[in-house]
């Protein structure tokens, strides 16, 4: 590991002031530390944001659940408020990685990283989330731009993620047995104004499957998907699952999610 300057910021203003063209925010460190140890990434300044009180915690209102950026996966999984309002979100958090990862990893780090197989980006898309940063509010549909790419500007800090409370929802993940990342995960949410089916793991970036939304908007039942076949031409294929296998899994996991709703 190369040498670097470690800073612990007391608030968002200080964190962004300390950041530069060669700095990184340290939240759970679950991606950043291994990347640095393996020499895949080097930074001059590492800015720890875990001590910024404002960035952690969960607030629930009639319409939404707001989760602070440095809230850990285990805190979301154990939250009675989240379980009462959006139970599928606690299921998602419980299924991330292993106990060590869930105790350190954060929601802000997960969505800033935007791994194509990560779980939280699917929740953001399905639950019409708004990403609150130190500068602005960004709709989830405009936030996830591509593989490991988001709408965040260099040194822009996520402060919280606001999820709309749906009528019904379910997240169904077919996990990689080693890492627990999604080979395919589908998050189905039925809102007053329509259904959303967010898919992670299948393509280079999380997406809302408009074809499946259309089918479920007409008839919200697992049976309605009996004849659905998805185009696999732009899906991921690797040693774990071919593109065709993933296309089939998207339909299967969506059916399961609708049944669980
Ligand atoms: C073994 C293992 C298994 C895993 N399994 C899963 C899984 O099953 N599902 C899943 O979804 N994920 C999984 N993960 C990812 C993990 O859950 C973390 O969410 C992820 O590694 C990043 O979160 P972090 O808080 O550790 O971020 P860090 O590593 O601290 O930061 C990652 C990146 O995000 C940026 N960042 C962090 N916080 C903010 C912020 N508030 N604003 C702006 N930028 C920010 C940093 O600058 C950095 O570039 C796994 C990780 C490991 C190591």
């Amino acid at each position: 590991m190369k040498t670097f300057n470690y800073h612990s910021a007391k608030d968002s203003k200080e964190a962004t002031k300390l950041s530069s063209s060669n700095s990184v925010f340290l939240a759970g460190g679950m991606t950043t530390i291994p990347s640095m140890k393996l020499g895949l990434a080097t930074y001059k300044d590492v800015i720890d944001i875990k001590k910024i009180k404002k960035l952690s915690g969960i607030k629930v209102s009639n319409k939404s659940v707001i989760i602070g950026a440095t809230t850990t996966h285990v805190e979301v999984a154990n939250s009675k408020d989240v379980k009462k309002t959006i139970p599928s979100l606690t299921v998602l958090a419980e299924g991330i990685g292993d106990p060590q990862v869930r105790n350190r990893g954060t929601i802000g780090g997960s969505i800033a990283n935007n791994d194509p197989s990560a779980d939280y980006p699917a929740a953001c898309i399905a639950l019409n989330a708004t990403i609150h940063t130190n500068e602005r509010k960004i709709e989830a549909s405009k936030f996830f731009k591509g593989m490991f790419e988001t709408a965040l500007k260099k040194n822009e800090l996520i402060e919280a993620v606001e999820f709309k409370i749906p009528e019904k929802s379910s997240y169904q993940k077919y996990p990689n047995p080693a890492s627990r990342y999604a080979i395919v995960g589908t998050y189905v949410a039925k809102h007053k104004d329509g259904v959303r089916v967010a898919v992670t793991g299948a393509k280079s970036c999380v997406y809302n499957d408009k074809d499946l939304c259309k089918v479920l908007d007409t008839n919200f039942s697992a049976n309605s998907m009996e004849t659905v076949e998805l185009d696999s031409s732009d899906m991921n294929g690797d040693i774990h699952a071919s593109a065709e296998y993933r296309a089939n899994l998207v339909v299967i996991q969506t059916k399961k999610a609708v049944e669980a709703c």
Side-chain angles (χ1 to χ4, degrees):
M1 195 185 282
K2 297 254 168 65
T3 54
F4 56 86
N5 303 312
Y6 170 85
H7 311 269
S8 179
K10 64 175 183 310
D11 53 33
S12 299
K13 210 170 163 190
E14 190 183 24
T16 50
K17 209 170 157 196
L18 284 164
S19 57
S20 67
S21 58
N22 190 12
S23 65
V24 69
F25 294 126
L26 186 69
M30 291 291 97
T31 295
T32 301
I33 304 286
S35 309
M36 290 172 78
K37 280 182 89 169
L38 292 169
L40 300 172
T42 50
Y43 303 102
K44 189 167 158 281
D45 295 288
V46 174
I47 303 151
D48 192 339
I49 56 170
K50 281 292 281 179
K51 291 203 178 100
I52 305 176
K53 285 207 180 96
K54 194 187 151 194
L55 298 190
S56 174
I58 298 169
K59 281 187 217 141
V60 174
S61 72
N62 288 344
K63 290 190 178 154
S64 69
V65 172
I66 303 180
I67 303 182
T70 59
T71 308
T72 60
H73 308 324
V74 83
E75 284 167 335
V76 175
N78 292 341
S79 164
K80 287 191 183 129
D81 286 339
V82 180
K83 198 165 221 149
K84 215 160 111 189
T85 46
I86 317 182
S88 54
L89 207 49
T90 59
V91 171
L92 176 148
E94 272 163 14
I96 294 177
D98 49 45
Q100 288 85 347
V101 170
R102 290 195 289 276
N103 273 284
R104 294 293 311 172
T106 68
I107 185 169
S110 174
I111 67 167
N113 200 41
N114 192 20
D115 187 296
S117 298
D119 299 301
Y120 270 122
C124 292
I125 294 291
L127 300 172
N128 286 319
T130 305
I131 321 301
H132 298 216
T133 79
N134 62 314
E135 292 185 21
R136 55 189 169 140
K137 291 183 182 176
I138 313 169
E139 286 168 31
S141 58
K142 296 185 181 135
F143 183 84
F144 301 102
K145 294 283 193 191
M147 192 185 281
F148 296 107
E149 196 193 334
T150 69
L152 286 174
K153 290 185 250 165
K154 182 78 194 148
N155 307 329
E156 188 172 1
L157 186 72
I158 300 169
E159 295 193 321
V161 187
E162 179 168 9
F163 296 99
K164 291 220 173 83
I165 300 173
E167 291 175 354
K168 301 171 179 180
S169 63
S170 171
Y171 180 58
Q172 298 289 324
K173 169 161 79 164
Y174 189 83
N176 178 312
S179 72
R180 315 307 292 172
Y181 272 104
I183 289 180
V184 163
T186 58
Y187 205 129
V188 173
K190 189 170 187 298
H191 298 271
K192 260 197 194 118
D193 57 353
V195 176
R196 291 181 72 77
V197 182
V199 182
T200 186
K203 296 190 182 180
S204 57
C205 184
V206 67
Y207 66 99
N208 181 39
D209 195 309
K210 294 204 173 118
D211 294 333
L212 292 177
C213 293
K214 216 165 151 188
V215 172
L216 292 173
D217 268 329
T218 314
N219 176 8
F220 192 76
S221 76
N223 289 342
S224 67
M225 281 179 298
E226 281 309 326
T227 55
V228 173
E229 270 185 41
L230 298 178
D231 176 12
S232 64
S233 57
D234 59 349
M235 292 210 180
N236 302 331
D238 54 31
I239 54 162
H240 306 295
S242 65
E244 294 77 15
Y245 189 80
R246 277 188 165 86
N248 189 46
L249 259 186
V250 173
V251 178
I252 304 263
Q253 298 303 98
T254 305
K255 275 187 192 167
K256 283 188 184 167
V258 173
E259 275 161 8
C261 276

